[in-house]
Amino acid sequence: MNEILVIGATGTTGTRISTFLRKRGIGVREATRTPGPDAAQVRFDWADSETHAPALEGVSAVYLIAPIGVADPAPLVRPFLDEAVRHGVRRAVVLGSSAIQEADHGMGALYRLVRTTMPEWAVLRPSWFMQNFTGELPLARDVRAGEIVTATGPGRVAFIDADDIAAVGGHALIDPVAHNTEHILTGPQALSYAEAAAIIAARTGKSVAHRTITPDELAARLVAYGIPEDFAAMLAALDDDIRAGTQDHVTDTVLRVAGRAPRSFGEFIDKEL
């Protein structure tokens, strides 16, 4: 098998996909805007089409993360996929979201684009990442400040560990038979943010509570964090969907594809916090 190009190779799922592949002896080409001295890294910028063809040389499959912070990424991704096909790339696995359905515009447009452009494909549609509770994202800052602020109300989400996403994505990239499907990925239990806050408090001994605000208030809060207005509005709308119950479900996809049960939220908190 030729190398697999991992876009967003230094990100949350990209690093884990790369590790999954290397453990199985698969060559990895890490695409990043700022490559280091590692020979496995190659410069890649969605906004610079001249970086696309060199990154695709000798590649058999692509793990694709859309441009971060772009509300309608298809116009940037479409010419890249066309270039990939010209270079003989057969398979693409794209990271989407369980909350975003296939659509004509926005992130959902990528699902049809990959399905209709690539000979072999898979769409990963994970629920909200457990990793959002750590690091430097707004939610993680809220956790450290002791108050999780969302527009979700009592709505529940089956948070998923990025390691489990990478396990399914890795199989979708290398399994002999192409998956050619969308994978809805969740953790083993749906939780409200109030329940998640209670688990964090119980496991860490720190005071953490949940406060609900309106979607408009959340969008303004995200803009204050530096997120573009259109992207902040989309994120706030997703919170409102959670409030309506659209994410209160659990799937067995991780177990079926990766052959192991997904990590629970409590297990994640014990390890990461």
Side-chain angles (χ1 to χ4, degrees):
M1 179 180 287
N2 293 336
E3 289 184 323
I4 293 178
L5 178 67
V6 178
I7 296 176
T10 59
T12 302
T13 59
T15 55
R16 290 167 170 82
I17 288 280
S18 296
T19 297
F20 176 97
L21 297 172
R22 288 195 173 102
K23 283 183 177 179
R24 289 155 179 80
I26 306 297
V28 177
R29 185 173 302 175
E30 299 180 346
T32 173
R33 284 184 296 179
T34 55
D38 190 335
Q41 293 189 341
V42 60
R43 183 171 178 269
F44 181 88
D45 188 335
W46 281 113
D48 183 359
S49 60
E50 292 187 0
T51 67
H52 297 179
L56 290 164
E57 289 291 343
V59 166
S60 61
V62 175
Y63 177 64
L64 194 158
I65 297 179
I68 302 299
V70 177
D72 189 18
L76 286 172
V77 175
R78 183 177 291 106
F80 168 77
L81 288 180
D82 290 340
E83 186 72 24
V85 171
R86 284 193 292 270
H87 276 75
V89 178
R90 290 199 52 78
R91 186 176 298 189
V93 175
V94 63
L95 180 66
S97 167
S98 65
I100 299 176
Q101 304 292 329
E102 184 173 303
D104 293 331
H105 303 286
M107 180 68 72
L110 294 185
Y111 306 170
R112 182 183 300 127
L113 182 61
V114 168
R115 173 167 52 81
T116 58
T117 304
M118 301 303 299
E120 301 175 351
W121 61 278
V123 176
L124 307 181
R125 294 182 55 198
S127 184
W128 274 247
F129 290 21
M130 293 180 184
Q131 278 72 15
N132 291 347
F133 289 85
T134 64
E136 296 303 321
L137 293 174
L139 176 58
R141 298 178 197 175
D142 286 352
V143 169
R144 290 194 291 273
E147 184 180 57
I148 296 173
V149 181
T150 77
T152 60
R156 287 185 167 86
V157 177
F159 301 103
I160 184 167
D161 187 350
D163 286 347
D164 294 323
I165 300 170
V168 174
H171 279 287
L173 286 165
I174 68 173
D175 282 353
V177 177
H179 290 194
N180 292 345
T181 192
E182 294 183 7
H183 289 304
I184 306 295
L185 307 173
T186 76
Q189 181 184 15
L191 301 166
S192 69
Y193 276 94
E195 291 168 333
I199 290 172
I200 294 170
R203 300 278 182 142
T204 66
K206 300 176 182 178
S207 177
V208 182
H210 175 240
R211 175 165 63 93
T212 291
I213 58 178
T214 69
D216 286 345
E217 290 170 333
L218 178 62
R221 183 181 175 90
L222 294 173
V223 169
Y225 274 123
I227 295 174
E229 284 190 20
D230 58 348
F231 200 67
M234 183 191 76
L235 294 175
L238 293 179
D239 263 30
D240 203 32
D241 287 343
I242 293 172
R243 183 199 297 263
T246 63
Q247 296 303 299
D248 191 356
H249 59 261
V250 171
T251 70
D252 67 348
T253 308
V254 174
L255 179 61
R256 285 190 294 102
V257 177
R260 58 175 173 76
R263 182 186 292 178
S264 73
F265 187 74
E267 291 169 334
F268 173 81
I269 295 302
D270 286 344
K271 179 181 178 182
E272 302 297 337
L273 291 181

